[in-house]
């Protein structure tokens, strides 16, 4: 299993500013994932973060808007840049252990409100 | 592209009763994995149950069981003896090998005493 600590749990930010979300895992994992969950919606993958390489972004998400760092095998950050009210969402980090059929573990999520 | 569909935006059940949540998916693959996740108001995503496509036997975890129909691409979740703590959003998810998880749109389950 894996225990994930995600910070902050919530924040209210002014438009035009940036927020960095941190994700700490209690074990080493190769891949970490960042999701966005808009109000009342499902989870959408933003990007996959591998240690030692550039993050891989899904269609509709760009590095300038959502820069990601992955300095080691237990930590990652997601920054939401130049925020607008449309960025108000829950952001979740997730890890999936290397075995094919084991579950994905999620952080507690960050509820972001942009005003 | 793989898709996951949950046709029931909301469901309700009385305590101690049984409820079934529906999920269908579209894939051309034969080897994949299916999951049901629960998201209570705390936002924490919790795995409820998982099914490997190569296994014919339906997965069971205590009060939770699935009806996996591979040919029909259907993966429903049955919750028996429903409890107030089962109230949450339930997401069906698909994954091919080590690819990313693809989530359905979710079903909000309400449990009435």
């Amino acid at each position: 299993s894996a225990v994930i600590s995600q910070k902050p749990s919530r924040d209210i930010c002014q438009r035009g500013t940036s927020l960095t979300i941190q994700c700490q895992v209690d074990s080493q994992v190769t891949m970490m994932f960042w999701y966005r969950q808009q109000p009342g919606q499902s989870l959408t993958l933003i990007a996959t973060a591998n240690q030692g390489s550039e993050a891989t972004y899904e269609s509709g998400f760009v590095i300038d808007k959502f820069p990601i760092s992955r300095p080691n095998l237990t930590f990652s950050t997601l920054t939401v840049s130049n925020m607008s009210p449309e960025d108000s969402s829950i952001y979740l980090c997730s890890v999936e252990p290397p075995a094919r059929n084991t579950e994905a573990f999620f952080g507690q999520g960050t509820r972001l409100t942009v005003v | 592209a793989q898709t996951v569909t949950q046709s029931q935006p909301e469901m309700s059940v009385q305590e101690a009763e049984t409820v079934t949540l529906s999920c269908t998916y579209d894939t051309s693959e034969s080897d994949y994995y299916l999951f049901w996740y629960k998201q209570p108001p705390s936002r924490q995503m919790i795995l409820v149950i998982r099914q490997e496509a190569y296994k014919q036997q339906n997965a069971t975890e205590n009060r939770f069981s699935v009806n996996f129909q591979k040919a029909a691409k259907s993966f429903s979740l049955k919750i028996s003896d429903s409890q107030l703590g089962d109230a949450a959003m339930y997401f069906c998810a698909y994954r091919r090998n080590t690819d990313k998880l693809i989530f359905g749109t979710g079903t909000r389950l309400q449990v009435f005493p």
Side-chain angles (χ1 to χ4, degrees), chain A residues 23-36:
Chain A
C23 186
Q24 178 77 51
V25 189
D26 69 344
S27 58
Q28 294 184 339
V29 292
T30 303
M31 298 169 75
M32 296 180 74
F33 304 85
W34 287 98
Y35 290 87
R36 181 175 73 182

Side-chain angles (χ1 to χ4, degrees), chain A residues 9-10 35 37 41-43 45 58 90 92 96 98-104 106-111, chain B residues 31 33 35 37 39 41-45 47 50 52 54 89 91 95 97-101 103-106:
Chain A
S9 61
R10 61 178 64 224
Y35 290 87
Q37 187 178 21
Q41 304 294 314
S42 185
L43 282 73
L45 183 64
E58 297 296 308
I90 295 170
L92 298 107
E96 295 177 9
R100 294 172 64 192
N101 62 346
T102 49
E103 64 187 279
F106 287 83
Q108 307 96 314
T110 296
R111 183 183 295 276
Chain B
D31 188 17
Y33 302 88
F35 306 85
Y37 279 90
Q39 187 181 40
S42 67
R43 306 193 301 268
Q44 181 80 53
M45 292 285 285
L47 179 71
R50 62 174 171 256
E52 294 87 346
Y54 63 85
M89 282 291 291
F91 293 96
R95 184 175 72 194
N97 294 334
T98 56
D99 281 355
K100 64 182 180 182
L101 275 169
F103 288 90
T105 50

Side-chain angles (χ1 to χ4, degrees), chain A residues 76-106:
Chain A
S76 179
T77 67
L78 169 76
T79 299
V80 186
S81 303
N82 188 24
M83 288 183 285
S84 67
E86 292 71 34
D87 294 319
S88 297
S89 292
I90 295 170
Y91 293 86
L92 298 107
C93 68
S94 170
V95 302
E96 295 177 9
R100 294 172 64 192
N101 62 346
T102 49
E103 64 187 279
F105 297 90
F106 287 83

Side-chain angles (χ1 to χ4, degrees), chain B residues 3 5-6 12 28 44 59-60 63-64 78 82 85 93 102 106 109:
Chain B
T3 58
T5 301
Q6 293 178 248
S12 61
S28 58
Q44 181 80 53
T60 299
R63 299 182 294 109
F64 300 89
K78 186 171 81 170
S82 297
I102 299 172
L109 178 66

